[in-house]
Amino acid sequence: MGSIPADEPTVEEDHDILVIGAGLSGINTTHVLRAQMPHRSVAILEKRPVLGGTWNLFRYPGVRSDSYMTAFGLSWYPWPKRHKVAPAAEILEYLGEAADKDGITPLIRFSHEVKAFEWKSDEQKWRLDVDADGVRKTFVANFIICAMGYYADDKALEAAIPGIDDFGGQVVHTQWWPDDLDYPNKRIVLIGSGATAVTLLPELVKEASHVTMLQRSPSYVVASGRQTLVDQLADSLLPKTWASVVTRWYATAIELVLSELVLAFPNVFRKLLMKGARAALPKRVDADVHFNPRYYPMEQRLCLTPSGEFFKALHEDNCEIVTDTIETVTKDGVQLTSGMKLDAGIIVTATGLYFQLFGGLKPVVDGEVLEIGSHYAWRGMLVDGLPNMAFIMGNATSSWTPGANLMAHLAVKLLKNMERKGAATVVPKIERRDGMPAHLSVDAKSNYFVQAADRMPKATGESPWYGRKNLAWDVWALLFGSMEDGLVYSGVKSKDI
């Protein structure tokens, strides 16, 4: 959508709580708010004409969940299918059904893109400038919860690819996959090594004449089934409701335990992952070259390949993997620094996401722009100096939803504490001191996080000024974390709140 015409009349709407974003996090957060605080009114602003977020945006072949739906799905609306790794179309259908059955869909204001928001202390309200399909609207709310994810949908991570403009074929980025891309029987160079490339490669190999996955540095790739043994037993032996509870708790717990074990014994798990890769790869692919990352496991997210489909693709005659750097792109391919030339008719770039919070908007507080990157994160959910605004994020190196769900419950706990105090405003405040640590609030080393340091709130590593760590921290914060430490409550609650 374009900018809001300046001469359009402003329509003002006053709401209690606004959730921004109708993806998985926004739908789940709205459910938690309505279930625990039914006396509070909630509306959702969604910039796109449909719900679903990530699962509606990405259209590349094979796009799917990269963790089991038993954990990635909604706790209050269990994943209904036996297979636990799902394609985007099924996830979209699932989210739509959940929103409909929970009564959330009527609360979503589709095609409502927030262009700016400003906190007014004299009103104890947020004022949002919204483009509603070209009509300018002003929304007013006491509290905002941003559930827009952590990446831009209109730009990707910049990757310097020398000579890319000289390429005579077609260049496609996975974030904007054209529906009419004619790739069957074409030679493709797929640039990237992360989850997107691992997902896309097996699909391209089915129809392309040849596919080369070109990576600058390797990732860890682990094969898994589309269902665990626990899933199979629970689905076979237990009623559906009980089975969903058992499998969800199992998936969440085993992921947390394994993550912490990997972080505690990185060398052991590096060897295990390398051993698994060697066993799954054809002999012509050297695991020590192509599957031996510079970082330890779990410092970046592990790439999941259900049924080992990624490794199976590398057994095909029309598929190869190359680890090298690009000297330049030519008219008909890619020239590597090693001297190797990769012929191509299509270049697909899967080079990473562009990190941003709050949809890339800069919050304004009483006329002053608040630069997120120079502020600190309170329990990974609030930003110091920013009143009455929470942001929902999951954990970067594990299933998104359990962490995002705990953040939604923590936001409700905060709102309830405001009610008990009769406060209309809550704002995190941190005491600045010389030499204060300024760690990134997302504890991961993926390139697109590291490059976003100037846009990401910081963390001291000590409670409550930490970022997104793991589920254990989230559970502790929800159950035992102070709702006073680092927070300043003020104001008299308005009668309509």
Side-chain angles (χ1 to χ4, degrees):
M1 297 179 184
S3 60
I4 302 171
D7 57 350
E8 284 288 337
T10 296
V11 178
E12 185 168 307
E13 296 188 21
D14 200 333
H15 293 267
D16 183 356
I17 300 171
L18 283 175
V19 174
I20 306 179
L24 192 150
S25 295
I27 291 169
N28 181 69
T29 297
T30 303
H31 167 84
V32 173
L33 284 166
R34 296 176 73 229
Q36 295 199 28
M37 307 185 78
H39 58 290
R40 304 288 292 264
S41 62
V42 184
I44 305 173
L45 301 181
E46 168 54 51
K47 67 183 290 186
R48 298 168 67 83
V50 291
L51 58 74
T54 293
W55 306 106
N56 179 270
L57 175 66
F58 288 101
R59 302 295 181 90
Y60 61 84
V63 58
R64 54 163 172 76
S65 62
D66 59 354
S67 56
Y68 285 119
M69 292 301 297
T70 41
F72 188 77
L74 302 164
S75 61
W76 46 273
Y77 192 74
W79 176 248
K81 300 182 184 296
R82 295 186 70 87
H83 57 271
K84 308 305 180 184
V85 178
E90 289 186 357
I91 298 174
L92 271 178
E93 181 182 10
Y94 163 74
L95 291 176
E97 289 177 356
D100 286 344
K101 292 186 178 181
D102 199 59
I104 292 172
T105 304
L107 305 177
I108 304 173
R109 310 294 289 274
F110 291 108
S111 300
H112 278 56
E113 181 177 3
V114 179
K115 292 292 189 178
F117 36 49
E118 180 174 4
W119 172 260
K120 300 282 191 180
S121 292
D122 57 344
E123 301 176 8
Q124 296 176 334
K125 298 266 189 173
W126 281 98
R127 300 184 72 84
L128 294 82
D129 200 2
V130 178
D131 179 356
D133 257 345
V135 176
R136 179 173 181 169
K137 291 185 178 181
T138 298
F139 279 73
V140 180
N142 175 254
F143 204 97
I144 294 175
I145 300 179
C146 292
M148 297 176 281
Y150 63 84
Y151 67 87
D153 62 2
D154 58 352
K155 58 182 171 181
L157 181 69
E158 291 186 9
I161 303 177
I164 192 70
D165 293 335
D166 298 326
F167 184 57
Q170 191 168 359
V171 179
V172 176
H173 194 285
T174 52
Q175 199 162 332
W176 300 284
W177 192 273
D179 292 335
D180 60 350
L181 181 65
D182 181 22
Y183 69 86
N185 302 315
K186 300 288 179 64
R187 294 187 69 89
I188 301 173
V189 172
L190 169 61
I191 302 175
S193 62
T196 299
V198 169
T199 300
L200 181 56
L201 181 75
E203 296 298 318
L204 296 180
V205 167
K206 292 176 183 177
E207 297 188 70
S209 64
H210 190 273
V211 182
T212 301
M213 178 172 161
L214 173 60
Q215 57 182 13
R216 183 179 59 184
S217 59
S219 297
Y220 293 105
V221 181
V222 59
S224 71
R226 295 180 182 273
Q227 220 185 5
T228 68
L229 179 60
V230 171
D231 291 328
Q232 295 172 15
L233 291 173
D235 288 343
S236 300
L237 301 176
L238 298 176
K240 187 174 182 180
T241 302
W242 292 11
S244 66
V245 172
V246 169
T247 55
R248 181 176 183 82
W249 277 103
Y250 171 78
T252 304
I254 201 70
E255 190 174 78
L256 174 60
V257 171
L258 280 175
S259 297
E260 294 307 302
L261 282 174
V262 171
L263 291 171
F265 304 101
N267 287 317
V268 172
F269 281 89
R270 177 194 282 272
K271 291 178 181 177
L272 289 173
L273 289 167
M274 292 289 295
K275 182 179 179 180
R278 287 191 191 96
L281 289 166
K283 292 182 179 180
R284 58 184 168 81
V285 177
D286 189 343
D288 290 327
V289 173
H290 304 296
F291 292 88
N292 189 16
R294 295 189 294 262
Y295 57 88
Y296 286 119
M298 296 307 297
E299 288 183 342
Q300 296 184 27
R301 191 181 180 95
L302 298 180
C303 296
L304 175 74
T305 178
S307 304
E309 60 188 16
F310 174 76
F311 296 121
K312 292 175 183 176
L314 289 169
H315 282 265
E316 299 296 328
D317 293 337
N318 66 333
C319 185
E320 66 177 334
I321 185 168
V322 174
T323 302
D324 206 334
T325 53
I326 298 173
E327 179 179 297
T328 189
V329 175
T330 65
K331 185 177 181 180
D332 59 355
V334 181
Q335 183 67 50
L336 305 178
T337 53
S338 65
M340 186 179 183
K341 170 75 178 299
L342 304 176
D343 294 330
I346 298 174
I347 293 177
V348 176
T349 56
T351 49
L353 304 169
Y354 183 88
F355 179 95
Q356 65 179 27
L357 293 177
F358 306 111
L361 300 173
K362 293 184 178 181
V364 177
V365 178
D366 295 327
E368 297 292 328
V369 175
L370 190 144
E371 296 288 350
I372 299 298
S374 61
H375 288 257
Y376 281 78
W378 183 93
R379 302 200 189 285
M381 185 187 73
L382 309 177
V383 175
D384 81 278
L386 195 55
N388 288 29
M389 181 181 284
F391 64 95
I392 303 297
M393 272 195 69
N395 301 112
T397 56
S398 58
S399 291
W400 176 267
T401 312
N405 181 51
L406 283 164
M407 290 298 98
H409 284 270
L410 186 61
V412 166
K413 186 176 181 180
L414 177 67
L415 287 163
K416 287 182 176 180
N417 204 43
M418 290 177 69
E419 288 186 345
R420 282 191 291 270
K421 291 175 173 291
T425 302
V426 60
V427 59
K429 296 286 186 182
I430 187 169
E431 183 180 345
R432 306 275 175 151
R433 63 182 188 276
D434 292 339
M436 178 183 291
H439 308 301
L440 298 186
S441 60
V442 176
D443 190 19
K445 296 184 179 180
S446 296
N447 195 36
Y448 60 90
F449 289 129
V450 174
Q451 289 194 31
D454 62 332
R455 302 186 298 278
M456 189 185 299
K458 304 306 185 288
T460 65
E462 298 178 356
S463 185
W465 304 105
Y466 56 83
R468 306 303 295 121
K469 287 184 174 292
N470 58 39
L471 281 176
W473 280 78
D474 295 340
V475 171
W476 177 90
L478 181 62
L479 297 178
F480 308 112
S482 170
M483 302 306 290
E484 307 294 330
D485 188 14
L487 299 176
V488 176
Y489 297 85
S490 61
V492 177
K493 187 181 287 187
S494 302
K495 291 180 181 180
D496 62 336
I497 293 180

